[in-house]
DNA sequence: TTGTAAGCGTTATCAT
DNA sequence: ATGATAACGCTTACAA
């Protein structure tokens, strides 16, 4: 421990109030007093205790970040974005996973009740609305990630999947592809639904008739993409381009195309969704829709700190995706 | 805020001391009193303030984890390991990156001086011994990861690279390969050095003469592995197996082999080191040495909590690697 | 400009 | 078995 405010005060021959003033940049301190205090502070290597401050101010300058998983290409980017935003604002990040806690209740205990954090970022698709409601009632700053909140007015940040899919399909259209198919995700998945909607919307805007045969089911897995692509290739008139609702399916689809001795993108252009690590490593490198996970984490933190500072932040934030153009689309 | 101890006390008609006793499981409380207090606690949804506790006890039950990077396949595993170990011990994890801070000094300020954490896990290859010395003098629980500490007696956890390399090469030997080469890493890299030592040691133990031509330089990059392999293949008597000092080089080497129209593992067996994500995705899947990053994080946390509990933990912990057997070795 | 003292929510010491 | 009170290190009225 690098000393306390009391020691500094004694050594500088002033009261602790004065030291506190100096620390907090209060202008009502005579210049020479201030200097003397600073000197002692440096001499002692004194650093104010965040805990004591936390107790008096009721603020810890810490934000909790709860994720379903940490060692994951996406979630780890969220953490990184949150970390950097936190550092920028001089906040700390308490990171933990959801699954490791026995229950929602315990989690709320550990972070909020205990007063460890000034706000909470929650990223968990399984989060119940009732659970959030409880939190929100406590008027505790809380931001939910990647989940539309209907019944409570919790703040949340989501990614605009529809726009991403739209952009991808438009890219294919502008490439000149005429027969654009899609491999969609599971029907009950909200994201999958949005991506399909984006696909449809793009076709519609460019007056391309929707061919029901060109919408084939996938399961968000590699294998699903592969078999879906086989179905498409077996069509009397196969598509010349495919938008897969996620990268694993896109890569599976690429496998199928290659197995038939066809070439990508000459015989079949492919665009994926997610921008996983592997996307740039496959041959040809996969053009795909990048999910702004880094920004998601950063924006969540900013949203929290904004609330803390009393700014009236938006309840809903939508993050735009970005098309990462590689080779599989024909570029 | 879910109330304070005082409110609980009033409502239960006891003193705050008694409430405190109940909370902390002190047996010197009459059963019915205890029950009454518990009831009020539940009623109020009371949770003790970690901050206030921290102030009195001088313990925050929080461990700081500092890494060079977060969104990285290895570091994120360290975080996960640390998180799970922390949860097991009812500790919290304050995660941050090193690079984002302006200086060592600032980092020490932010985490230790402020008294936010009870201990610190540092993972940064660029850490200076003098810096660590400073920390250690303060007798603050601190564990350094993946770095041998010479001059100070800071605790540290390292991964046994030598043993990993040894194991890999022995595996090749037992496969029956006679001409085993290695693509080593940069000479100034400690890990690269250890891996080379493991290679040599294995050959020696199995009475295989070291062929200097079979040790070729790499740079830990994909390209380095590829060109190194070309050199090996151009030898009058090329090797029949190669141990690459990391996965990227191993994968680059695989490319070179494939480009020559040779097959893996029939014409050339390959083993890598690291077990990066991509290793299991290449064709054939790469046999490689797995780095126990998860365990590293977990052990670091356990080391810290051990120190905190006054246990005499080892100053030095060596983690064993594990051989991940896939297809590239001929298995 | 500076200082005194109360208060933040706990735990711990000492009485009772 | 229970309670009053000091202490932890800080901020902040309020006084001087």
């Amino acid at each position: 421990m690098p000393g306390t405010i009391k020691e500094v005060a004694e050594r500088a021959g002033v009261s602790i109030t004065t030291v506190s003033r100096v620390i907090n940049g209060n202008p009502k301190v005579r210049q020479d007093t201030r200097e003397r205090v600073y000197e002692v502070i440096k001499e002692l290597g004194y650093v104010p205790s965040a805990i004591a401050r936390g107790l008096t101010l009721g603020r810890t300058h810490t934000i909790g970040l709860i994720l379903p998983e940490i060692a994951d290409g996406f979630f780890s980017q969220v953490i990184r974005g949150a970390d950097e935003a936190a550092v920028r604002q001089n906040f700390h990040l308490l990171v933990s996973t959801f699954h490791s806690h026995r229950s929602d209740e315990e989690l709320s205990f550990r972070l909020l009740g205990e007063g460890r954090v000034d706000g909470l970022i929650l990223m968990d698709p399984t989060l119940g609305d009732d659970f959030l409601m409880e939190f929100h009632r406590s008027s505790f700053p809380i931001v939910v990630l990647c989940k539309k909140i209907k019944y409570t007015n919790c703040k949340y940040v989501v990614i605009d999947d529809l726009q991403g899919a739209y952009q991808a399909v438009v890219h294919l259209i502008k490439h000149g592809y005429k027969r654009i198919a899609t491999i969609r995700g599971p029907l009950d998945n909200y994201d999958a639904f949005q991506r399909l909607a984006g696909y449809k919307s793009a076709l519609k805007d460019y007056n391309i008739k929707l061919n029901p045969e060109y919408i084939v089911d996938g399961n968000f897995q590699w294998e699903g993409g592969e078999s879906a692509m086989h179905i498409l290739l077996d069509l009397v008139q196969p598509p010349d381009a495919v938008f897969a609702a996620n990268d694993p399916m896109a890569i599976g689809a690429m496998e199928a195309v290659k197995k038939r001795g066809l070439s990508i993108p000459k015989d079949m252009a492919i665009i994926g969704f997610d921008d996983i690590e592997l996307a740039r490593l496959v041959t040809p490198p996969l053009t795909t829709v990048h999910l702004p996970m880094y920004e998601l984490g950063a924006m969540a933190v900013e949203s929290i700190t904004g609330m803390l500072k009393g700014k009236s932040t938006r309840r809903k934030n939508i993050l735009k995706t970005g098309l990462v153009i590689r080779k599989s689309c024909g570029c």
Side-chain angles (χ1 to χ4, degrees), chain A:
Chain A
M1 294 290 168
T4 72
I5 198 174
K6 203 174 155 195
E7 297 179 41
V8 175
E10 277 169 8
R11 198 120 151 196
V14 295
S15 74
I16 57 170
T17 310
T18 299
V19 178
S20 178
R21 287 201 181 95
V22 171
I23 294 168
N24 296 297
N26 186 320
K28 289 180 181 301
V29 178
R30 225 175 41 217
Q31 188 58 25
D32 60 326
T33 314
R34 179 187 310 279
E35 276 164 15
R36 189 149 34 92
V37 170
Y38 267 134
E39 218 154 89
V40 176
I41 286 179
K42 189 167 287 176
E43 205 177 300
L44 257 51
Y46 166 73
V47 183
S49 153
I51 303 301
R53 263 201 178 135
L55 189 57
T56 26
L57 298 179
R59 286 276 156 96
T60 59
H61 251 68
T62 304
I63 294 173
L65 174 57
I66 311 294
L67 309 152
E69 177 56 70
I70 288 174
D72 166 285
F74 290 113
F75 296 131
S76 63
Q77 282 181 61
V78 175
I79 305 179
R80 187 172 142 255
D83 171 59
E84 296 192 3
V87 168
R88 274 197 297 275
Q89 322 228 8
N90 249 281
F91 266 75
H92 296 269
L93 220 52
L94 214 44
V95 179
S96 194
T97 48
F98 207 77
H99 71 263
S100 48
H101 297 276
R102 280 188 289 286
S103 65
D104 291 357
E105 197 190 353
E106 191 195 339
L107 186 109
S108 79
F109 270 30
R110 293 190 24 124
L111 290 182
L112 301 188
E114 285 190 326
R116 285 182 185 279
V117 297
D118 295 342
L120 203 49
I121 300 169
L122 279 172
M123 182 164 192
D124 193 301
T126 68
L127 240 42
D129 248 288
D130 42 347
F131 172 59
L132 292 173
M133 191 106 71
E134 183 108 1
F135 264 124
H136 194 257
R137 240 202 303 273
S138 67
S139 79
F140 202 92
I142 164 169
V143 170
V144 177
L145 261 35
C146 285
K147 193 172 195 317
K148 265 226 164 80
I149 309 303
K150 274 182 237 140
Y151 308 111
T152 44
N153 61 340
C154 256
K155 316 235 174 208
Y156 61 89
V157 188
V158 289
I159 292 175
D160 194 346
D161 279 34
L162 194 150
Q163 169 260 341
Y166 183 91
Q167 198 181 355
V169 175
V170 167
H171 184 74
L172 290 172
I173 294 172
K174 292 205 168 150
H175 253 297
Y177 299 109
K178 297 297 175 203
R179 303 184 306 281
I180 302 173
T182 189
I183 303 174
R184 71 176 169 195
L187 292 163
D188 55 350
N189 182 300
Y190 181 73
D191 294 339
F193 180 80
Q194 290 293 304
R195 294 169 195 182
L196 180 63
Y199 164 82
K200 287 180 178 169
S201 170
L203 294 190
K204 192 174 171 195
D205 285 2
Y206 284 80
N207 297 310
I208 299 177
K209 221 184 93 208
L210 195 82
N211 179 348
E213 280 188 331
Y214 282 175
I215 299 180
V216 2
D217 286 337
N219 55 356
F220 271 167
Q221 308 294 315
W222 193 92
E223 297 80 8
E226 185 172 23
S227 51
M229 180 56 97
H230 280 303
I231 293 175
L232 287 169
L233 288 169
D234 286 338
L235 252 33
V236 189
Q237 178 152 60
D240 52 6
V242 168
F243 164 63
N246 78 351
D247 284 351
M249 291 199 300
I251 291 167
M254 287 175 69
E255 270 331 285
V257 173
K258 287 184 199 165
K259 274 189 190 153
R260 298 264 185 142
L262 300 173
S263 108
I264 301 165
K266 207 167 53 100
D267 302 315
M268 179 73 71
I270 296 182
I271 292 190
F273 202 109
D274 280 355
D275 194 20
I276 63 174
E277 184 86 36
L278 190 53
R280 60 181 180 81
L281 298 170
V282 290
T283 328
L286 181 67
T287 292
T288 186
V289 178
H290 178 81
L291 259 28
M293 307 309 276
Y294 175 90
E295 290 77 7
L296 194 70
M299 170 154 290
V301 164
E302 272 150 22
S303 180
I304 295 270
T305 55
M307 291 164 84
L308 253 21
K309 285 171 190 152
K311 288 182 193 157
S312 65
T313 52
R314 255 189 292 234
R315 178 167 118 72
K316 173 183 181 178
N317 272 294
I318 302 184
L319 251 31
K320 292 235 170 302
T321 58
L323 190 62
V324 181
I325 296 171
R326 299 207 178 92
K327 294 294 170 199
S328 67
C329 59
C331 274

